[in-house]
Amino acid sequence: MTVLPADGLSPAAAFPAPSHDQWQSLVEGVLRRSGKEVTGPAAEEALSTALGDGLTARPLYTSADVSADPGLPGFAPFTRGSRATGNTAGGWDVRQRHALADPVRLNEALLGDLENGVTSLWLSVGGPGGVPVSGLARALEGVLLDLAPVALDAGADPGPAVRELLGLYESRGVAKEAARGTLGVDPLGQAARTGTDPGLDDAVHWARLCSRAYPELRALAVDALPYHEAGGSAAEELGLSLATGVAYLRALTGAGLSVEEACAQLEFRYAATADQFLTIAKLRAARLLWGRVAEVCGAPDAGAQRQHAVTSSVMMTRRDPWVNMLRTTLACLGAGVGGAESVTVLPFDHALGLPDAFARRIARNTSTILIEESHLARVTDPAGGSWYVERLTGELAAAAWSFFQEIERAGGQAEALGSGMVRERLAATWAVRSKNLARRKEPVTGVSEFPDVAERPVDREPVFAAPAGGGLPRVRRDEAFEALRARSDAYLASTGSRPKVFLAALGPAAVHTARVSFAANLFLSGGIEPVQDPVSVDASTAAAAFTASGASIACLCSTEALYAEQADAVAAALRAAGADRIVLAGRPGEYPDADVHVFAGCDVVAVLSSELDRMGVA
């Protein structure tokens, strides 16, 4: 019988404390049984995951991994939250985005969302695809403007939309102190999107007006989405938002506002991704960094950053868009746990065009379920105290601060954008990530993994596509595979069938099934239909089966041992039957005479693009 010590109630108190070396020794044993002979730190590294920005997620964290005190929620440095109560009072603000040009349709959508759980409105006004400024009053008819905060996205010239909204407040009798939301003025963000000159005079004008007359209305948005959507990493997104915020602080304080008044005019907008821990750490790091800026400016108590998180459009896919519901749920979870005051969940069909009523319903209900049923808002900073999250927050903040200093040395955010420094940096980051996507080291479910070429497409009303300008590009994780699938679709439309590959499986199903599944999944990701009939072939049956398949290429699938026994004869039979290419599921050493080898970690996009070229798929 174990007796608990008199001075402690912990069940673990009666056991000896395990050491890190003991844990590492156990890891070595597990890896040894899986065929990996690694010892010491290498064993831990084998279980680590690279996160980008030079950061790594390790398999084990301890209290020794956390050095800095994160403070308390609502107090500097605000790592744990900008408010002491966090979102516990009523959950986060559920902010729905709307980009409809027809004021009547927009009004119907706004009222429907507000009646069903949305608590603030994010409106595209005046710009391409947005409601005309003259239609804003009709669009907001029936909306109680003193209860529903409005966030504007008014493009490069926000003045007309801002004046219209302020006029609506006055004409509808909304007291100036009751007007809430953000005017969304963001000249540096617009410069990033369009390549235009970022003049700050209008931003200063509206900030001074709000500071003087509208205490609950923020004039400026520090939008980091253009950098995320151009392929930037989490640290780059944070560093660029920090540089933008500092540029606005300089302009506002130079115009006579105090640091406290200037900080109160800023709302920061970040992307939330399906990597929930990285999202949590990013939002916590953003508050930590902005708290540091406020401290350096002599106003540490003004560093409570107001955050608006938006689920990432980069992660949204056009193929199998239903999976986007899972992605946005994880992103919303990360945003809520990370402490964002406002969260926008993009509808699952966002990448396809204008969302329908069902998609908007699912988007708003994502937040509702996480708040009301999962109770994520009941605890302020629930990730606080996690050694992993605290360590990741600190490392991410350090990487972002380093990049921010680079931007400042380059002359600040406007100069970095104008010189091409930002574009080059983000392009380099995206190039590395693109290689991982092409090699399926970063798998995309429904696109590069588990694709369904027979899936019925989801059609949506198209959105206005702005012409390409001088701003940063917009990227998507699915773009390389989407291009391959589009070629396959065009081939199907013109010929009545998809390009095919014959899977020549050698030996019994028990030995070839793994590689058959791998190869079929790989070819389907490029829209190439695999044909495996019969289940297994040999030198005497391969030619007839290949001819019957209608394919022009064949892929051998089996084990290395059976390749050594049968590959030469089967490949010869396939070539004699007209196979243009022999692909082998396995590495080059397993059968070097194959024309192409496909294996885990190969450049799938390059292989499939080349094969489509050879098949004449334009």
Side-chain angles (χ1 to χ4, degrees):
M1 178 178 176
T2 301
V3 179
L4 293 176
D7 59 348
L9 298 177
S10 171
F15 297 91
S19 69
H20 188 272
D21 289 340
Q22 287 176 307
W23 173 82
Q24 201 169 77
S25 178
L26 293 173
V27 170
E28 292 170 9
V30 172
L31 291 174
R32 194 175 299 115
R33 286 193 292 273
S34 66
K36 295 183 178 180
E37 286 292 339
V38 288
T39 59
E44 193 165 346
E45 290 173 9
L47 299 180
S48 298
T49 303
L51 299 176
D53 295 311
L55 309 183
T56 301
R58 303 202 311 272
L60 181 69
Y61 289 84
T62 69
S63 58
D65 289 300
V66 181
S67 55
D69 181 4
L72 296 172
F75 296 90
F78 301 102
T79 307
R80 303 198 61 200
S82 296
R83 300 173 295 182
T85 57
N87 293 320
T88 57
W92 53 83
D93 168 35
V94 181
R95 181 176 294 178
Q96 193 93 326
R97 175 170 172 74
H98 291 271
L100 279 170
D102 183 350
V104 177
R105 289 179 61 193
L106 177 57
N107 177 255
E108 181 181 350
L110 297 182
L111 295 179
D113 283 346
L114 289 170
E115 289 171 2
N116 291 282
V118 166
T119 54
S120 72
L121 306 171
W122 184 16
L123 307 180
S124 178
V125 183
V131 66
V133 173
S134 59
L136 185 59
R138 175 64 182 89
L140 291 173
E141 193 173 292
V143 175
L144 302 179
L145 295 177
D146 54 341
L147 298 180
V150 174
L152 294 180
D153 180 359
D157 183 18
V162 171
R163 283 188 285 271
E164 182 71 9
L165 179 62
L166 297 182
L168 286 175
Y169 286 139
E170 183 176 358
S171 64
R172 297 186 184 181
V174 177
K176 291 183 176 180
E177 58 272 16
R180 293 177 297 135
T182 175
L183 303 182
V185 181
D186 184 20
L188 288 169
Q190 286 299 314
R193 288 202 184 278
T194 65
T196 54
D197 181 41
L200 302 186
D201 290 346
D202 284 349
V204 170
H205 167 73
W206 294 118
R208 292 179 65 182
L209 174 65
C210 289
S211 181
R212 182 177 68 251
Y214 295 90
E216 298 300 321
L217 200 58
R218 294 173 184 257
L220 307 187
V222 179
D223 191 356
L225 297 186
Y227 315 113
H228 171 78
E229 292 171 0
S233 67
E236 289 164 347
E237 185 184 345
L238 289 176
L240 289 161
S241 74
L242 208 61
T244 301
V246 167
Y248 290 158
L249 275 189
R250 290 185 178 124
L252 297 182
T253 54
L257 271 65
S258 67
V259 174
E260 292 83 355
E261 290 170 334
C263 285
Q265 290 305 309
L266 305 181
E267 179 177 274
F268 289 74
R269 186 175 297 139
Y270 296 106
T273 72
D275 186 336
Q276 68 268 37
F277 287 110
L278 191 59
T279 296
I280 293 167
K282 180 167 70 174
L283 295 176
R284 298 173 91 249
R287 292 193 296 268
L288 171 63
L289 291 167
W290 190 245
R292 174 59 176 159
V293 168
E295 179 186 9
V296 170
C297 292
D301 293 337
Q305 188 184 68
R306 172 81 186 191
Q307 292 180 338
H308 173 204
V310 183
T311 58
S312 166
S313 63
V314 176
M315 71 180 182
M316 305 288 268
T317 63
R318 287 156 281 193
R319 307 284 173 165
D320 203 356
W322 313 102
V323 182
N324 291 331
M325 295 185 196
L326 304 179
R327 298 184 179 104
T328 54
T329 297
L330 286 170
C332 184
L333 181 151
V337 172
E341 284 81 10
S342 300
V343 179
T344 296
V345 175
L346 296 179
F348 72 88
D349 53 1
H350 173 80
L352 298 170
L354 290 174
D356 65 4
F358 172 72
R360 292 202 315 275
R361 175 189 174 193
I362 295 296
R364 63 176 180 258
N365 282 354
T366 301
S367 279
T368 300
I369 290 171
L370 291 176
I371 294 170
E372 301 295 340
E373 296 185 17
S374 299
H375 306 301
L376 291 189
R378 287 199 174 185
V379 178
T380 301
D381 188 32
S386 160
W387 297 322
Y388 169 50
V389 172
E390 298 290 5
R391 177 65 179 262
L392 182 58
T393 298
E395 291 178 339
L396 190 56
W401 187 264
S402 176
F403 183 45
F404 162 66
Q405 290 178 313
E406 286 184 45
I407 299 169
E408 289 294 285
R409 286 193 293 269
Q413 178 73 343
E415 184 64 29
L417 284 169
S419 68
M421 171 191 170
V422 172
R423 175 184 287 271
E424 292 171 7
R425 174 69 175 257
L426 301 186
T429 299
W430 181 245
V432 172
R433 190 175 179 191
S434 294
K435 290 181 180 179
N436 289 333
L437 288 163
R439 296 176 183 277
R440 300 197 299 181
K441 291 183 177 180
E442 182 182 338
V444 183
T445 303
V447 178
S448 65
E449 295 282 2
F450 313 113
D452 180 7
V453 295
E455 174 197 15
R456 290 185 60 186
V458 177
D459 295 321
R460 290 292 183 265
E461 182 180 343
V463 297
F464 176 86
L472 297 174
R474 291 192 177 189
V475 301
R476 292 186 188 275
R477 290 200 309 162
D478 69 349
E479 57 189 19
F481 288 94
E482 175 66 25
L484 297 174
R485 293 284 293 275
R487 293 174 66 180
S488 173
D489 289 347
Y491 188 85
L492 173 64
S494 63
T495 67
S497 65
R498 293 193 181 276
K500 294 181 174 63
V501 58
F502 176 65
L503 300 185
L506 312 182
V511 300
H512 69 230
T513 296
R515 280 186 166 168
V516 164
S517 299
F518 169 81
N521 192 40
L522 183 147
F523 283 107
L524 282 169
S525 69
I528 300 175
E529 182 181 343
V531 178
Q532 186 191 4
D533 185 21
V535 172
S536 299
V537 297
D538 55 26
S540 64
T541 60
F546 175 79
T547 301
S549 72
S552 59
I553 63 173
C555 179
L556 301 179
C557 302
S558 193
T559 62
E560 186 174 359
L562 283 177
Y563 289 153
E565 294 176 9
Q566 302 182 31
D568 281 334
V570 173
L574 291 169
R575 292 188 193 278
D580 295 333
R581 304 271 281 173
I582 301 296
V583 182
L584 182 117
R587 295 183 178 274
E590 298 186 32
Y591 179 62
D593 291 339
D595 299 310
V596 181
H597 294 80
V598 291
F599 49 88
C602 73
D603 190 333
V604 174
V605 170
V607 168
L608 296 181
S609 181
S610 175
E611 295 311 306
L612 288 173
D613 288 344
R614 289 179 177 274
M615 294 177 188
V617 181

